[in-house]
Amino acid sequence: MITNGGCRTKKGTRSVGVQRQYTGTAERVENSQVGVFLAYVSPAGRALIDRRLYLPETTWCDQPERRAAAGVPDQVGFATKPALARQMIAAAIDAGVPVGWVTADEVYGADPGLRADLENCGIGYVLAVGYDRRVAINDGRTLVRGDTLAERIPTTGWQPRSCGPGAKGARDYLWAWITTATRPGEHRWLLIRRNRATGELAFYLCWSPRPVPLHTLVRVAGSRWSIEELFQTGKGQVGLDHYQVRGWTGWHRFITLAMLALAVLTTLAATARQPDPDIIALTVAEIRRLLNALVLTQSLPPAHTMHWSIWRRTSQARARRSHYQRRQAN
């Protein structure tokens, strides 16, 4: 599972939860709403499975009149973004969702409560942290900053690994991992990622109830991009950010409906048969086009619509092969 924040820039002051605040999506301070989302990722597909609207403490939670005007329930109090993530993860576990790993960005990786909850549940995690994070080495006897440790790693200590396919091919980085266990039998590491071209570093606190190889931690770290891709797909295919509601109930209803629509499209894509290897598999975007053409409008014969779908996916498959061939040639 992956947790992360999503935002939508807004004008005015009446939309529930809106204020000027920093958003990772825009990478600056904007007048915006911020939601915390939980995504589920598996080899068959990925989907958003829960959401919480973040209410700033002083400008919303401590303003009874403003809360009442937006329809915020009385029992809803202030909660930090990591606390909202903990609520959603606990709800998913209680609902019986099979969970092996959790990953998230630095906002959540810095929260000790989230890490403790996951360890108590026996769920492994790979959580991003800042470069100045201090970790224990030498069986807990020494505390060292992450960037200091990175400087001490010899060239042979960096291992090339791909953390999954991206829009432009495999996302290849150099990786190093350092044991930070403080007790016998503990499986705890600092994972460091280095960009091959720029040398930029990223750091992750990792824990597992059992020993795991490096490539497992790399795979989990790389899966965090899935939630950004889900935001992009959700906005482009099901209008995740195309709402004009201001109140608490309206926000939750719209976001839930958009998440459900995206989950349905994802399920259809995951279960679609793919008999022809020369045609790219049905994607969420293509299934939405087919539903629009065959179910919602159907202004053309079904055979005509299916013919264009096959032509479009064949061309995409040909372009993908050419792209990979050019990358391998270079």
Side-chain angles (χ1 to χ4, degrees), residues 16-326:
V16 60
V18 71
Q19 74 164 13
R20 287 192 60 79
Q21 53 193 320
Y22 178 82
T23 64
T25 304
E27 296 186 345
R28 60 179 181 271
V29 174
E30 291 272 6
N31 200 57
S32 59
Q33 287 174 317
V34 174
V36 180
F37 290 81
L38 187 67
Y40 192 82
V41 177
S42 76
R46 52 187 180 240
L48 297 170
I49 61 172
D50 206 350
R51 74 285 176 266
R52 294 288 190 278
L53 180 63
Y54 172 70
L55 287 181
E57 185 172 16
T58 57
T59 57
W60 276 94
C61 291
D62 295 343
Q63 301 288 334
E65 293 182 0
R66 198 179 192 192
R67 289 168 53 100
V72 179
D74 293 338
Q75 65 270 24
V76 175
F78 174 71
T80 64
K81 295 168 190 173
L84 296 175
R86 292 166 65 183
Q87 293 174 14
M88 292 189 292
I89 292 171
I93 294 172
D94 291 343
V97 177
V99 183
W101 292 89
V102 170
T103 185
D105 64 23
E106 295 180 18
V107 172
Y108 308 92
D111 182 62
L114 175 58
R115 300 196 303 272
D117 284 356
L118 295 174
E119 292 181 23
N120 290 335
C121 293
I123 299 173
Y125 60 74
V126 178
L127 301 173
V129 291
Y131 65 89
D132 56 350
R133 177 78 188 190
R134 293 181 178 272
V135 295
I137 60 174
N138 298 328
D139 297 323
R141 295 189 297 268
T142 308
L143 286 176
V144 184
R145 282 172 48 131
D147 54 355
T148 301
L149 277 175
E151 293 174 356
R152 299 176 182 176
I153 298 173
T155 302
T156 55
W158 296 96
Q159 303 182 43
R161 293 286 190 280
S162 170
C163 58
K168 299 181 180 179
R171 294 177 301 184
D172 295 324
Y173 294 93
L174 296 175
W175 301 83
W177 58 334
I178 300 162
T179 298
T180 58
T182 58
R183 298 189 302 270
E186 191 176 48
H187 311 297
R188 196 181 300 276
W189 306 271
L190 176 70
L191 179 67
I192 307 176
R193 187 194 75 201
R194 191 175 79 187
N195 187 296
R196 287 173 172 267
T198 65
E200 181 183 5
L201 300 174
F203 301 84
Y204 305 85
L205 291 181
C206 308
W207 179 86
S208 174
R210 63 190 66 83
V212 294
L214 173 62
H215 70 79
T216 297
L217 301 180
V218 169
R219 175 179 56 81
V220 176
S223 69
R224 188 166 66 84
W225 279 279
S226 296
I227 198 165
E228 302 297 343
E229 294 170 351
L230 279 167
F231 287 152
Q232 183 178 359
T233 302
K235 294 174 181 178
Q237 302 302 324
V238 298
L240 184 64
D241 62 340
H242 297 175
Y243 57 87
Q244 299 298 325
V245 298
R246 289 180 172 178
W248 175 271
T249 301
W251 186 89
H252 283 83
R253 285 177 176 174
F254 184 92
I255 295 298
T256 302
L257 182 60
M259 288 168 50
L260 177 60
L262 184 58
V264 169
L265 293 175
T266 300
T267 302
L268 291 173
T271 56
R273 297 179 60 185
Q274 183 59 32
D276 192 339
D278 291 330
I279 303 176
I280 194 170
L282 281 167
T283 63
V284 167
E286 187 64 21
I287 290 175
R288 183 188 63 80
R289 293 190 191 99
L290 291 173
L291 288 175
N292 287 341
L294 299 175
V295 178
L296 299 182
T297 58
Q298 199 169 352
S299 58
L300 298 172
H304 182 277
T305 300
M306 294 304 301
H307 170 78
W308 275 105
S309 175
I310 293 172
W311 178 87
R312 186 162 44 241
R313 290 183 288 131
T314 303
S315 299
Q316 290 170 345
R318 188 181 304 114
R320 177 181 293 177
R321 288 194 297 270
S322 298
H323 173 72
Y324 286 150
Q325 289 171 358
R326 286 195 300 270

